[in-house]
Amino acid sequence: MLCQQEAAQLRSIIPQIHEADAQLIIIGNGTAQQAQWFLEETGLDTPVYTDPDLHVYRAIGARRGLRSVLHPMVFVRALEAWRKGHRQSGTMGDATQVGGLLIIQPDGTIPFLHRSSYAGDTPTAATILGALNKTRVAAV
């Protein structure tokens, strides 16, 4: 699941996502109970699904393994988040699985796919909104 800092970033752009007639959906790999706790902890008002068998992660080619969680940038991002007051309260699901972010069109095409190289490697809000806006323009 996302850390507090990543959740805060997404929470801040949900209105723009909805203005683009899009929906934010989060897929984690923990239990349903952990997904509920995640929603309560982050304050996100969006659907959260779980994929403990990692089918979706494999389908998008998401990275998994110790290299992804022991990457030097993980520590840099963790320090940045800590300095901003964000704390990780625990790890849920497969700690060696990193995710990604994708935009899926109603016809099933994927015009934007970001596979995280390491834990904490998420696109900025500007990148997400830019990709979403490009997708909207292309669909018109």
Side-chain angles (χ1 to χ4, degrees):
M1 287 283 182
L2 303 167
C3 74
Q4 285 287 340
Q5 182 173 341
E6 294 163 333
Q9 172 183 260
L10 288 175
R11 193 172 42 251
S12 74
I13 64 172
I14 287 176
Q16 293 99 314
I17 292 171
H18 290 167
E19 286 170 14
D21 292 324
Q23 175 80 26
L24 171 66
I25 297 172
I26 296 172
I27 301 173
N29 64 49
T31 66
Q33 182 179 6
Q34 290 168 331
Q36 182 60 41
W37 176 87
F38 170 78
L39 282 174
E40 292 167 4
E41 183 76 12
T42 62
L44 282 168
D45 183 20
T46 195
V48 173
Y49 298 95
T50 63
D51 178 23
D53 295 324
L54 308 176
H55 296 293
V56 174
Y57 293 87
R58 281 193 293 278
I60 68 166
R63 291 184 171 88
R64 182 170 181 262
L66 287 178
R67 286 187 194 166
S68 299
V69 294
L70 297 178
H71 190 283
M73 283 303 294
V74 171
F75 302 102
V76 171
R77 297 289 172 120
L79 183 57
E80 289 171 356
W82 185 80
R83 285 184 176 157
K84 292 178 182 177
H86 300 286
R87 302 294 184 265
Q88 183 171 341
S89 55
T91 302
M92 294 180 268
D94 185 339
T96 65
Q97 179 65 63
V98 294
L101 187 139
L102 56 153
I103 296 174
I104 304 173
Q105 297 280 54
D107 66 1
T109 59
I110 301 174
F112 178 83
L113 171 60
H114 170 86
R115 289 180 197 92
S116 299
S117 295
Y118 52 86
D121 174 25
T122 56
T124 65
T127 299
I128 295 166
L129 293 175
L132 188 57
N133 286 331
K134 282 182 189 176
T135 301
R136 276 178 58 191
V137 170
V140 174

